[in-house]
């Protein structure tokens, strides 16, 4: 004898999309009526298991890790470019600060505020002289003249090297195309062989 599903069971199946007929067991009661029995519905307060509650599979986690790796690889060149741009900006600022201090020392000597030997160029003997100060020749109280608060560091130099030793020094007696240190400091330059973003060499700035 073929048994047809009851109207209540058909409505229950229609109300849950995706539920296959196999998920419903047809049980015959002693009174001849069909009873719909679903897994978990027989327990008070039980709820169907959600797809989100089952967690992630290994394949899904590997796909996410692969996507994160691709994004990290794409962002690395941008990060390196940003770091170099900041270093170049810091180098230009440091060179401007040092050269301003060197020129101020020279002008103070020309104004007679610094004692300059007859055979001297009037430029500072060292970079430390800009920070340590020199006596003001026109001050009766022997006040010192200071031209810099501190010596900036070359951002491309080794961080373990002292700031005053991180720079290349050019004396007033050396040519610009072959700078050499001497008895005074006429100019400073970076010792790095790094090529700037504009294609120039930072040591030529």
């Amino acid at each position: 004898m073929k048994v047809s599903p009851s109207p209540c069971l058909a409505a229950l199946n229609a109300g849950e999309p995706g539920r296959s007929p196999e998920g419903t067991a047809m049980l015959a009661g002693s009174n001849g009526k069909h009873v719909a029995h679903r897994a978990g519905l027989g327990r008070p307060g039980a709820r169907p298991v959600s797809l989100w509650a089952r967690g992630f599979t290994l394949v899904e986690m590997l796909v996410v890790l692969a996507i994160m790796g691709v994004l990290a690889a794409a962002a690395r060149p941008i990060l390196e470019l940003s770091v170099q741009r900041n270093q170049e900006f810091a180098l230009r600022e440091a060179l401007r600060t040092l050269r301003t201090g060197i020129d101020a020392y020279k002008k103070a000597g020309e104004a007679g505020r610094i004692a300059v030997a007859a055979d001297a160029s009037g430029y500072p003997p060292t970079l430390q002289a800009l920070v340590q100060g020199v006596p003001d020749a026109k001050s009766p109280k022997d006040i010192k003249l200071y031209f810099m608060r501190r010596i900036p560091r070359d951002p491309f130099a080794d961080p373990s090297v002292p700031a005053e030793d991180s720079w290349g020094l050019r004396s007033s007696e050396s040519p610009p195309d072959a700078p050499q240190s001497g008895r005074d400091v006429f100019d400073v330059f970076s010792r790095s062989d790094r090529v700037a973003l504009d294609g120039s060499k930072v040591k030529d700035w």
Side-chain angles (χ1 to χ4, degrees), residues 69-156:
V70 171
L71 293 177
R76 183 175 180 180
I78 300 177
L79 178 61
E80 293 178 350
L81 182 65
S82 178
V83 171
Q84 182 171 352
R85 184 182 292 108
N86 292 336
Q87 287 179 325
E88 291 183 9
F89 178 80
L91 176 59
R92 293 183 185 277
E93 289 294 319
L95 289 173
R96 185 180 296 108
T97 300
L98 287 170
R99 288 166 177 167
T100 300
I102 293 173
D103 292 341
Y105 187 101
K106 172 67 172 176
K107 292 179 179 179
E110 294 174 348
R113 303 189 64 181
I114 298 177
V116 180
D119 59 343
S121 63
Y123 288 100
T126 61
L127 290 179
Q128 283 291 348
L130 301 175
V131 178
Q132 295 174 352
V134 292
D136 188 351
K138 294 185 176 182
S139 174
K141 297 181 180 180
D142 196 21
I143 298 178
K144 283 188 174 183
L145 297 175
Y146 299 94
F147 303 94
M148 292 180 60
R149 294 182 177 88
R150 64 179 181 85
I151 299 176
R153 176 186 300 277
D154 182 355
F156 292 103

Side-chain angles (χ1 to χ4, degrees), residues 4-203:
S4 60
S6 64
C8 295
L9 181 58
L12 183 61
N13 284 331
E16 293 187 18
R19 172 71 71 169
S20 62
E22 290 77 8
T24 301
M26 302 300 298
L27 299 180
S30 59
N31 55 358
K33 295 183 178 180
H34 302 288
V35 180
H37 176 75
R38 295 181 182 274
L41 292 180
R43 298 191 302 272
R47 297 181 180 179
V49 179
S50 173
L51 293 177
W52 295 102
R54 64 180 177 83
F56 295 97
T57 64
L58 178 60
V59 175
E60 291 172 339
M61 294 181 65
L62 291 177
V63 171
V64 172
L65 291 177
I67 294 175
M68 293 178 62
V70 171
L71 293 177
R76 183 175 180 180
I78 300 177
L79 178 61
E80 293 178 350
L81 182 65
S82 178
V83 171
Q84 182 171 352
R85 184 182 292 108
N86 292 336
Q87 287 179 325
E88 291 183 9
F89 178 80
L91 176 59
R92 293 183 185 277
E93 289 294 319
L95 289 173
R96 185 180 296 108
T97 300
L98 287 170
R99 288 166 177 167
T100 300
I102 293 173
D103 292 341
Y105 187 101
K106 172 67 172 176
K107 292 179 179 179
E110 294 174 348
R113 303 189 64 181
I114 298 177
V116 180
D119 59 343
S121 63
Y123 288 100
T126 61
L127 290 179
Q128 283 291 348
L130 301 175
V131 178
Q132 295 174 352
V134 292
D136 188 351
K138 294 185 176 182
S139 174
K141 297 181 180 180
D142 196 21
I143 298 178
K144 283 188 174 183
L145 297 175
Y146 299 94
F147 303 94
M148 292 180 60
R149 294 182 177 88
R150 64 179 181 85
I151 299 176
R153 176 186 300 277
D154 182 355
F156 292 103
D158 186 353
S160 62
V161 177
E164 61 271 15
D165 297 333
S166 64
W167 298 98
L169 304 180
R170 174 194 170 193
S171 69
S172 59
E173 299 173 349
S174 64
D177 56 346
Q180 298 291 332
S181 59
R183 60 177 183 173
D184 60 9
V185 180
F186 174 74
D187 197 10
V188 293
F189 58 91
S190 176
R191 293 176 176 174
S192 175
D193 294 328
R194 182 75 65 91
V195 177
L197 297 177
D198 60 0
S200 63
K201 295 182 178 180
V202 297
K203 64 181 180 181

